[in-house]
Amino acid sequence: DAGVTQSPTHLIKTRGQQVTLRCSPKSGHDTVSWYQQALGQGPQFIFQYYEEEERQRGNFPDRFSGHQFPNYSSELNVNALLLGDSALYLCASSFGEENQPQHFGDGTRLSIL
Amino acid sequence: QKEVEQNSGPLSVPEGAIASLNCTYSDRGSQSFFWYRQYSGKSPELIMSIYSNGDKEDGRFTAQLNKASQYVSLLIRDSQPSDSATYLCAVNIQGQNFVFGPGTRLSVLP
């Protein structure tokens, strides 16, 4: 039973560039949430996708966008990268309702130079 | 006032002792509460979920919820050095999905 998988594991970009991160949910899950975790802090909610639509969004600028595909996998896109975007980006999957437990992937470590 | 608060620690306990981790939240309408464990350099791992007032036990872990006091805690019995990690409290706040606290670092001393 495959868990949540994310790619790539590490990424180095420069300011102003664009990046795409990918996530495949755990088998049987249909909902994908994305989080940003800075060092020493708890994860911060970016947005959640369900039935290929953005269901909820946290306090992140429009530079952060996403997509969910019919197979429930998801992408996170960040445009015009800033130094402050350096963080661990976590994908979590769950089934159905918003209050269900979320299971995390191993994350993508994004470094902006 | 932050929406989910935890003591950052570190909380140090001797091996075999009970570790008590606490979390308070601001939204009275919250219905779902979760504890995650995060080892350094790794992603959060779900330990417990709790939805009703009272205690919920799973092995060495007990989650306690008091909605009137807006308080949720995690007890770890017979603490082991392998329990040393950061423990994250997450609250499902309406309209905001999961809101995480900053985490409490636990150190279990052999």
Side-chain angles (χ1 to χ4, degrees), chain B residues 13 35 41 87 108:
Chain B
V13 299
W35 282 100
Y87 288 81
V108 180

Side-chain angles (χ1 to χ4, degrees), chain A residues 35 37 48 56 99 102 105, chain B residues 32 36 38 43 92 97-98:
Chain A
Y35 294 84
Q37 187 176 26
Q48 184 182 75
Q56 282 185 321
N99 63 347
Q102 297 183 5
Chain B
S32 311
Y36 287 82
Q38 188 172 27
S43 63
N92 184 261
N97 205 263
F98 278 33

Side-chain angles (χ1 to χ4, degrees), chain B:
Chain B
Q1 180 187 6
K2 292 184 178 179
E3 292 171 302
V4 179
E5 298 198 50
Q6 299 179 254
N7 290 326
S8 61
L11 172 66
S12 295
V13 299
E15 184 174 355
I18 296 175
S20 178
L21 304 163
N22 304 316
C23 172
T24 58
Y25 59 94
S26 60
D27 179 17
R28 285 195 169 276
S30 297
Q31 298 293 323
S32 311
F33 308 86
F34 307 88
W35 282 100
Y36 287 82
R37 176 175 62 197
Q38 188 172 27
Y39 292 113
S40 180
K42 301 295 185 181
S43 63
E45 173 191 7
L46 179 68
I47 300 175
M48 299 274 289
S49 57
I50 186 166
Y51 301 91
S52 304
N53 277 329
D55 295 359
K56 179 181 178 181
E57 187 175 318
D58 184 0
R60 296 187 296 113
F61 299 97
T62 299
Q64 299 175 318
L65 175 61
N66 184 325
K67 291 183 180 179
S69 300
Q70 296 173 244
Y71 176 94
V72 58
S73 65
L74 180 70
L75 301 178
I76 307 175
R77 291 182 299 281
D78 188 23
S79 295
Q80 302 297 309
S82 59
D83 295 326
S84 298
T86 296
Y87 288 81
L88 297 162
C89 171
V91 179
N92 184 261
I93 293 180
Q94 285 196 355
Q96 297 187 53
N97 205 263
F98 278 33
V99 178
F100 282 81
T104 298
R105 282 188 297 131
L106 172 66
S107 178
V108 180
L109 307 174

Side-chain angles (χ1 to χ4, degrees), chain A residues 44-98:
Chain A
Q44 299 292 312
F45 174 67
I46 302 174
F47 42 56
Q48 184 182 75
Y49 277 85
Y50 173 70
E51 293 188 342
E52 302 180 52
E53 298 283 336
E54 184 182 286
R55 178 157 69 180
Q56 282 185 321
R57 187 180 183 92
N59 189 25
F60 278 79
D62 292 344
R63 298 187 297 111
F64 290 77
S65 63
H67 189 76
Q68 185 179 35
F69 300 95
N71 66 353
Y72 308 120
S73 67
S74 177
E75 289 182 348
L76 164 65
N77 301 292
V78 187
N79 295 322
L81 287 166
L82 304 174
L83 293 177
D85 295 332
S86 295
L88 178 67
Y89 287 83
L90 294 162
C91 170
S93 73
S94 55
F95 176 73
E97 298 297 324
E98 298 170 16

